[in-house]
Amino acid sequence: MSVAKKDYKRITTKSLIEMKNHGEKISMLTAYDYTMAKIVDTAGIDVILVGDSASNVMAGHETTLPITLDQMIYHASSVVRAIERALVVVDLPFGSYQSDPKEALRSAIRIMKESGGHAVKLEGGKEIKESIKKILNAGIPVMGHLGLTPQSIYKFGTYSVRAKEEEEAEKLMADAKMLEKIGCFGVVLEKIPADLAEKVAKSISIPVIGIGAGGNVDGQVLVIHDMLGMNNEFSPRFLRRYLNLYQEMTTAISQYVTDVKSSDFPNEKEQY
């Protein structure tokens, strides 16, 4: 059954809570630069995540770990300048919040002041509780991230599905409830069993955004380069490609090369 959508001129953290309460799914995509963010925002996305996945898709690193706070601020400020409607959530990068709550607060403040972002996202549960509380106490909205947490890839050793075993599933549920209790406005669940994700979404009042977590959560997020088919090397089960831009772009560029080499471009109508 379709749900009537409220016409939000500007998405806020309060808007997302209302959407969950009204049964309206939340759409979320990544963006890392002005041009892409403007397209994504114009298309009607609810939330833009300036993800530390920029480390992979923009810089070519194997993991999200190398990206710095300065680089995240650069990407986030580029995105913020483009948007008119979407809520902009910015990842705190690895090393900027795990060791010390005071450092976590300093990092979050820098993102908010220097980029103009609307909220920050942190990976982890009770291990980073004090860092999250410190940020929240400063009036900065926080989104949590549980399940597969890419910043901890060397701890897990794999990008496989998380929380399949009872003990880890119980911890994830407890962490989700803790994030709600201390004041987070939402949580991303990445690559966990769909049944568990559904239970989490039903057990807490804040929105649950899934990536590889099934359809019975409050919204979905994908990396823009993956869903547009710009990256043809990444094909997890949860990914739906809406375009094959890799092929379309290489075809167009190859045609440009051919036209330049043959002196077909520019023609008489394309010159002054």
Side-chain angles (χ1 to χ4, degrees), residues 20-224:
K20 172 169 179 140
N21 291 338
H22 296 154
E24 179 184 344
K25 298 287 188 176
I26 298 164
S27 60
M28 183 172 176
L29 281 171
T30 64
Y32 317 97
D33 64 85
Y34 176 88
T35 302
M36 188 70 84
K38 196 166 188 65
I39 294 169
V40 171
D41 185 63
T42 302
I45 207 74
D46 297 316
V47 184
I48 292 178
L49 172 64
V50 185
D52 57 5
S53 46
S55 180
N56 309 110
V57 299
M58 301 298 286
H61 293 297
E62 183 180 0
T63 71
T64 62
L65 303 185
I67 199 164
T68 66
L69 183 60
D70 285 340
Q71 290 167 335
M72 288 300 303
I73 290 170
Y74 166 79
H75 285 294
S77 60
S78 300
V79 167
V80 168
R81 284 192 288 270
I83 62 96
E84 295 182 2
R85 178 180 180 274
L87 179 79
V88 178
V89 179
V90 185
D91 272 340
L92 281 180
F94 177 74
S96 68
Y97 63 92
Q98 290 92 342
S99 63
D100 177 13
K102 291 182 180 179
E103 182 181 12
L105 178 58
R106 285 192 293 268
S107 300
I109 288 174
R110 281 199 62 200
I111 282 180
M112 301 296 284
K113 285 178 67 70
E114 297 178 37
S115 79
H118 307 139
V120 296
K121 181 167 75 64
L122 289 72
E123 294 182 8
K126 66 178 183 180
E127 309 85 8
I128 59 165
K129 178 180 178 180
E130 295 307 314
S131 290
I132 294 174
K133 288 174 66 176
K134 198 82 171 175
I135 296 170
L136 288 168
N137 286 340
I140 298 172
V142 175
M143 174 174 271
H145 184 144
L146 301 172
L148 176 64
T149 47
Q151 291 180 10
S152 303
I153 182 57
Y154 290 125
K155 173 185 176 182
F156 294 139
T158 175
Y159 286 107
S160 61
V161 177
R162 304 303 311 171
K164 291 191 293 184
E165 304 300 327
E166 184 177 354
E167 182 177 354
E168 188 177 352
E170 289 178 354
K171 181 184 183 305
L172 187 144
M173 178 67 79
D175 281 339
K177 291 180 177 179
M178 180 273 293
L179 292 174
E180 174 192 29
K181 184 176 180 179
I182 64 176
C184 291
F185 71 88
V187 59
V188 169
L189 296 182
E190 181 168 358
K191 214 167 182 183
I192 68 170
D195 289 347
L196 175 60
E198 181 179 5
K199 290 178 183 177
V200 173
K202 289 180 177 179
S203 68
I204 60 177
S205 61
I206 58 176
V208 173
I209 311 297
I211 176 168
N216 292 320
V217 289
D218 304 305
Q220 299 293 328
V221 60
L222 285 175
V223 171
I224 187 76

